[in-house]
Amino acid sequence: MSLFKYLEYIDSKIDHIPIVLQCDSTIKYLRKYFIYGQLVSLSLIIVLFIISRLMSVEIFVEYSIVSILFLIVTLAFIFVLEKVKTLILLTKLGYELIVLYFVSKMGGLLTSGGLILTGLAPVLYSLIFQNYKWLISVFSVFMVSICVLFIFNDHLTGKEILSPQLNLTYFLIILLGITSYILLFAIYTQKILIKLEKKDTQRQKEINETKNRLFTNITHEFRTPLTVILGLADNLKSDLSDTISSKADIITKNGKQLLQLVDQLLDLSKIDSGNVSVNKIYGNIIPFLRYTFQLYEYYAQEKEFQFSFLSENQAYEVDFDPEKITAIISNLLSNAIKFTPSGGKIEMCVKRFENDLLIDVIDNGIGIAKENQDKIFDRFYQVNDTDVRGSLGTGIGLALTKELVNLLNGTITFVSVPGVETKFTLRLPISSPSNVRIADRRHSELVTFQREEDLNEDNTLETNEVNIKQRILIIEDNEDVISYLKSCYHCFYFIDFVTDGLKGFHKAIDTIPDIIISDIMMPGMDGFTLCKKLKDDIRTSHIPIILLTAKADIPSRIKGLEQGADAYIVKPFNQKELLVRINKLLELRRKLQYRYSNIEISDLPEDPSLKKEDFFYNTVTGLIYKNLNNEEYNVLALCQDMAMSKSQLYRKFKALTNMSAAKYIRKLRLQKAKQLLLSSSLNITEVSYEVGIKTLSTFSELFKEEYGQSPTEFVHKHKENYHNN
């Protein structure tokens, strides 16, 4: 028992030895293993030294002193050197050479008291390398030493140093010593294996507990909404009262909870399998973040939160993945709402710090206890504190959030003081658009010309409106309907909403949405009046309008259509039907764009239903033709002549032609230039001035970009065709 206690004592002391260098767990294990082996070897050699001193055998006293000094020096180096494996290898090879030296000094293998057996210790010890080359190196040195000693045995002197009796005695002592070393090595190795087995058992136990906890919570999470859904479904079969609508709302709410759980599990599965890609767009992220934040205003109002969105700047142009940002922000806001008592405060703050965009979600809810803070991003982990947490959840949301943030090369951290404040900070790198490049200095004039017209209009306006989706304006005084419409279509469209008819009219004038969905009975202005005013206004006459109302009688339908509504849908409506109507109306608008794709005014066929659009298009085209030779006539001048703001003109003209006004102006200039080159005697420079492009190099670049050949090539080709004819 004393031997085992001695081993445990050494092992416990090694665990508390301070190491100067920082290192990973594998290196720490090698250091500990090396220290353990050196101490055991040192103990055995000290015993050999004492025996040799008592027996007055000077050669073994000398061997013991050299070995002890060598072990102490190498033991000291293990605490300060970084290359642990190399040190261990050199130590074992060095010890083999010490053994070889003393065996040869005592006359060879048979007269050295079995000292060669101590060379087995380094060979056995080299197993820890888990490297065949190093293991074979130590073994080879040992075997070569034996072979060399055997070959040169007759030439070695010193055979008389040990008497036959001492030779036999030391052979027995060394045999017992090396046997003890092997026993200690085996015991220590067994101890390590037992530790590893316990760790593996504990790990499996934790995995099983995690699985059990997951399935328990998943079952609980699924059971509650399923119970509600099935119970209400049974009631609806026999209940014909007015409560059907409210029960249907609850069914929808619980169904969405189940769908969210399933989606989160599927998202985690996709991330694990590596099937999730990052699809970034470049634009102003602030409207997108504000829109995502506003999706939760309804839930915040139910719990009477102070719910605010703050941004240091109203425009941060960045590359971002809308789908993943939505999932991240939604999870953070959902948690904030879930664990903040009624009347609490929730803020979302956006700012820039160096080359990162920082998004803070702050609440003054129950917070996260200190002992749980290092585990909240662990998958399927839940805080077992039912006294303060009304719903445990599944432990999926924050784990998924962490994975998505990593995909975007960002970081997420948090600080929580329970009951005071919890702040999650999302840090995303800011990168510029990959497709914006200036070719070289030869095109500087062309780039300048285009920047003033195209980049200022297209990039600023389109990115500010998150041009990945078309814009729907919902004018509805029922916030539940707004919330439902947003939940149905936010994946397909960018959605604005107002709860007042008059405000809706001004909102439509200001933003020029792609389509409008409006109720009829509203404060400020009813839907019929709103529809007529928008259709009569040249700025908004092109916008498709869907009247969505509970007034199902025929006279109301007829009145709505007479006021210019493009569709009349009665509540309750089918979300797929409404989606189809929206898509069809937008498809009709694309046909409208085809109508105006021919820029010849005289070619427009008459259509009474498009009288206002034809007038707008013809007015814009006429103003441009009138000022075609004026280099200073640009989009801003056109806006002044049309009495429209830049954004109004842009969205109106873009809706009709799928082309910006700046590009349209340039197209008309180049078309006029082409006509002049064909039908007049003006030279290229005069034509350039005539169409308002005063720099000849810029004119040539733009002409070639539009028609595939330079003005000179175009003129020569036209003359050749003329002579051939």
Side-chain angles (χ1 to χ4, degrees), residues 30 74 89 92 216 258 265 289 329 336 385 461 490 565 718:
L30 287 175
T74 54
L89 176 64
K92 298 311 165 186
T216 298
L258 286 175
L265 287 171
L289 292 176
I329 300 300
D385 192 355
L461 293 174
H490 76 275
H718 171 68

Side-chain angles (χ1 to χ4, degrees), residues 330-345:
S330 295
N331 273 321
L332 295 179
L333 289 175
S334 295
N335 278 349
I337 292 172
K338 189 175 185 180
F339 299 119
T340 301
S342 297
K345 181 180 179 181

Side-chain angles (χ1 to χ4, degrees), residues 502-514:
L502 184 59
K503 292 180 180 178
F505 172 75
H506 293 301
K507 185 77 170 179
I509 294 295
D510 291 339
T511 62
I512 315 295
D514 295 292

Side-chain angles (χ1 to χ4, degrees), residues 222-270:
F222 282 147
R223 182 184 297 277
T224 302
L226 282 173
T227 300
V228 174
I229 289 172
L230 293 175
L232 290 176
D234 289 336
N235 289 339
L236 287 175
K237 293 179 181 178
S238 56
D239 191 352
L240 300 178
S241 66
D242 294 336
T243 61
I244 289 180
S245 177
S246 62
K247 290 178 180 178
D249 289 339
I250 297 174
I251 288 175
T252 302
K253 179 180 179 180
N254 283 270
K256 288 180 180 178
Q257 290 178 359
L258 286 175
L259 181 60
Q260 183 181 20
L261 287 172
V262 173
D263 286 343
Q264 288 179 340
L265 287 171
L266 289 175
D267 288 341
L268 282 175
S269 176
K270 289 179 181 178

